Each structure stands twice: as C-alpha cells, then as structure tokens.
Amino acid sequence: MGMRIEADVTRGNAITIIVDGEALPAFAGETVATAMLAAGRQVFRADTGGKPRGLYCNMGTCSECLVTIVASGRRVRACLTEAVDGMEIATRG
Amino acid sequence: MADTFDVVIIGGGPAGQAAALALALAGHGLAIAVIDEPPRPGGQILRQPPAPFAVSNWLPGRSYDGLKAQLARFEALEGISWLGGHSAIGLVREADGLVVQASGQDGLRRLVARRVLVAAGCQDLAVPLPGWTLPGVYAAGGIQAFIKSQQIVPGERVLLAGTHPLMLLIGAQIVAAGGTLAGVLFAQPRQTMIANALRHATAAAAHAGNLAAAASAMKVLAGAGVAVRFDTALTAAIGNSQVEGARTAAGDIACNAIGLCYGFVPQSTLPRMAGARVQTAGPAGGWATVADGWGQSSVPGLFVAGETTGVAGAPAAMAAGEMAGIGIAHSLGLIDASEAQHRAGPARRRHARLLGFARMLDAVADPTGYLPAPTPDTLACRCEDVDFATIDQAIATGGSANAVKLATRCGMGACQGRNCEPTLLRRMATAGRTDDTGFTQRFPARPVAIGDLAD
Ligand SMILES: Cc1cc2nc3c(=O)[nH]c(=O)nc-3n(C[C@H](O)[C@H](O)[C@H](O)COP(=O)(O)OP(=O)(O)OC[C@H]3O[C@@H](n4cnc5c(N)ncnc54)[C@H](O)[C@@H]3O)c2cc1C
Ligand code: FES
C-alpha cells in the first residue's frame, strides 16, 4: 500500500477514478498509478501464467503498468497518465 | 500534418534544458520544440510534483540548487514549443530533414527538424532475480520518482538492495518523507567500495561535496535506526501474490516493497533507431551514443547529450547539454567556430572535471560479480514471460541477440527490449560471445495506440 506524504504537501482537488469498477479517491495531478498504489491496488495486470504483476520502473520505460482507459479503449502507461475525475480504468486489456 | 522546427530536443532534463538555453542565447527567433514524457520539465533528477500540488521544501540540499536554478531559467524561456506529456516514438533521417514522431493523448504528430538533440537520459538497470515480478519489486529510481514527484512512498516497509551508492540518498529521502525502511543492502563489501574509490582519489578529493552528501545521508539513516549492510546480497524477493520479504545472504527480511539499485544504463533506443553509432556504456551495461565534443553523433544533424551518451550525473548532463546547444548553433551558422569555442569553454572544463567523479562512482557502484543469480524459471523478459531456461537454450544454438529474440520472443514486448537486452547480452558474454550488438531497434520506441498509427 502506498503512503501519501503529508508534511509540506498541499494537493490538488479531491477527485475519484474508477478502476475495475471500484471507486478510488485521488487528487488532481496524481497519476493513475499513484491513485492505485495509494488505494492498495498493486496489481496492474496478470501475466500469461495468471500471476499478478505490478508496475516496475515508474518512468515510462518498462510498460509494466499498461492499463486501458475504458472510454477510449486506449492502452496507456499508468505511471505517466494523469488521473482525471470520473476516469474509468480497466486493468485487464 | 507536419510541424517544422529548426531544432527538436527530446528530453526536458538537465541536458535538454541547457541546450535549449544555449540555443536561445545564440539565435533569436529559432523554432525550438522540446518533447518530454512527463507533463513538466525537470528530467529524472528534478521530477517535478504535479502542477496542482504545492510542496514546500521540495528537494532540499545544495546539490539540487544549480539544477533548480537552470530549471527556473528554462521554464521562463519564451518561444519554446513545450511538448510535455508526449513520447518520441520514432526518429529517422528523410529527404526533408530529421523526422520525429511524437505521440500524445491527442494522437501522433510528425515533427520535421533541421537538427535533433536526443537528451533522453538513462534508466535503472533491470535486474532479474527470483521473485522480481512480484508486485512490490521496483526499480529504485522509480521509488525515488514517486517520492520526488507524486509525493507518495510506495510501500510501508521498503528495502533497498543493490550496489549503487544512490541507495543512501534514496533511503534518506524515504526517511525524510516519513516512510519506513527495512534496510539498505550493498551486495559488495565496504572495503571493496573504499578501495575502488581510492583508486580515483584525485576525483574524490575534487568532489568532496558529493561525498559529504553521502555521509550526511548515512547520518540520516543511522538516526532513523536503519541498518545499512555491506557484503549482503539480495538473492530473492519472496511472497505469494505480492512482496512479503527479501531473501538475503544474512537471512530473510520482512518488507512489502523492494527497490533494486545496481546502476543505470543510457536510453539508446532513438539514436540506434536512427542508425547512430553506439559503444558499450559503463559497467552496468547498455549502449552509449558516440558523439564528438559538440554532441554531433555519426548521423548528420543528429546531436546527443547527457546520459544518452553515458551515465555521468546531472551536473555533467547540464554541461554536455550546453556544449551541444552551442554546437548546434554553430552547425546552423548562428555563431562562428571561434565564438562557439569561446562560449563552450567553461562548460567543457566543468564537464571534464565531472567525468572524473563519474568514473569513480562507476567503479564504486560496479555491479559486476554482484548481480543476483536467476534460477531457470526466473523471467528474463518480463513483457513476454520468457525464462532463463528458454533463453539459455537459444543462446546455446549460437544465434545473435536478434536470433534469440525471434526464437523466444525475448525482447519482443512492449518495453522493446529495454529491460532484457542487458540481461541477454550479459548471458551471451558469459557464454563467450562478447561482440553482439544487441537488438535491432524498431519503431515505436514507446507503446502507441494502434488507431493513432492508422490515422
Ligand atoms: C529514476 C532515476 C533517478 C535518478 N536519481 C538521481 C539522483 O537522485 N541523483 C543523481 O545525481 N542522479 C540521478 N539519476 C541520474 C539522472 O538521470 C541524471 O543525473 C540526470 O537527470 C541526467 O540528465 P539528462 O538530461 O541526461 O536526462 P534526464 O534527466 O533523464 O532527462 C531525460 C528526459 O527525457 C525523457 N525521455 C526519455 N525518452 C523519451 C522519449 N522517447 N520521448 C519523450 N521523452 C523522453 C525522460 O522522461 C526525461 O524526462 C537518476 C536516474 C534515474 C533514471
Ligand atoms: S511502470 Fe514502467 S512504464 Fe510505467
């Protein structure tokens, strides 16, 4: 589970994103990856053996964090994609 | 639709910023675009918090001051087309100039430029070990980026393991953020690190500031009661559906996040795709793009600077970016040769001095001989789930890295081989094949929506 740092930090507006049907609280400006980790969702996909997989590099190079934006069907890297209020995400391609 | 620029810079880190500033100084009215994957400039060293955040006391410490000052100058520059949130996914030389394909949420853009500077930085060396695909195992730099930018510590008990002294700094940043460290493990003995540092004693003396930063990080860790162990190798990440602990030479350690920190490799996809000559990079592996003293690569018009040319730290990237900006200005006829020499003098001298320190750090952090041993079922390629037994079998048939890729799918996935290429080349070198040039780099350098390509 990720821990938001409280000291010295003022965040943007509270927003909500929906990941696999679950509403997750987030703050404007956070990435989808951050919102997921802060909510205790470490699993971004299952591999070919059905094993859970997490994100790895958090800098856009590994693509382990690929998730789907439901509205557009676009596959995006959760570590680079900004969470937008009401955005719906699916972790299964 | 094509956008035309005089110069396209790929990377908004210290190198890309310095180049843009030097160019702006040399030529008024130049059309310059800067492409960067994060929404805001800064690069890996200054990964900025999101715009809606306010973080007081962000990245304290004198080592960040010069970098922050440059970032402020860059953000104040007028007339730059800032393409944050965009990925450069293709780079080729065509008849009308160098063509960069940039992908963003709004689709693909084709940028045509007289000069392109690739200042794409480096990435953590991906280090396979048993259990490394469990959720909770991260590249250490990724953990640091979460703290610097997103203001989150990705785990309640974080363990850092590897060979790179950057772990001390990241550890201190986790402590300062209010996080809990399960420990910092150096695989190599302390004496080896000291002996390697002493071999570069002149550089060490000239950069006492950096050593003081390491010492003060050690103090923060000691103050928080964090064990910093040497000669203690991480052998596996353990857990069922996520990390629950770390197996080490000194017993198991409970933790729910592990940051792997064995060094950095240059981002080389784009220069290699464009056909630029590369050479083997530092002890962590990877490919450094070859350039002359102005950052000009072997491809006409294509310049490179910063860690794309070898990992040497942020101040060195800044100096190299400035030299490249001046070099590009000269190549465009904006300033003459003697003016270019004159302007680049201070950056060139700084750069030479900083390279000495970088070589010392390379020696101290050298992961050779300390990388964890994978088992036959450890995945070498995370994207396509290819294990070591499979690649070893393919290597044994004598093929090249490209042949192993074709036979096993290792390197064919979404990361385009960035994670597994160093692994495979190390494995081939162990089998006596040290001359392989790695995977042929293919478009796209980053994942892109199929629909965008069809448009
Ligand atoms: C995760 C991480 C953490 C680090 N932390 C430290 C540290 O604490 N201290 C230290 O001294 N050094 C650190 N380093 C090394 C550090 O990267 C350099 O010292 C410095 O930032 C290099 O500057 P640069 O301009 O060459 O590259 P960078 O600062 O890495 O800037 C390159 C930029 O290019 C972008 N980019 C790359 N490829 C593309 C593409 N295809 N399309 C669009 N944009 C692209 C990247 O997202 C990045 O923003 C770290 C490195 C990494 C990878
Ligand atoms: S975690 Fe590696 S690309 Fe997002």
Side-chain angles (χ1 to χ4, degrees), chain B residues 360-382:
Chain B
M360 179 192 83
L361 198 55
D362 272 354
V364 171
D366 190 348
T368 312
Y370 297 107
L371 291 170
T375 52
D377 64 347
T378 302
L379 295 185
C381 165
R382 299 174 65 106

Side-chain angles (χ1 to χ4, degrees), chain A residues 54-66 77-80:
Chain A
L55 71 82
Y56 181 71
C57 76
N58 187 32
M59 58 171 285
T61 58
C62 79
S63 294
E64 282 279 16
C65 63
L66 279 172
R77 287 163 288 171
C79 71
L80 290 178

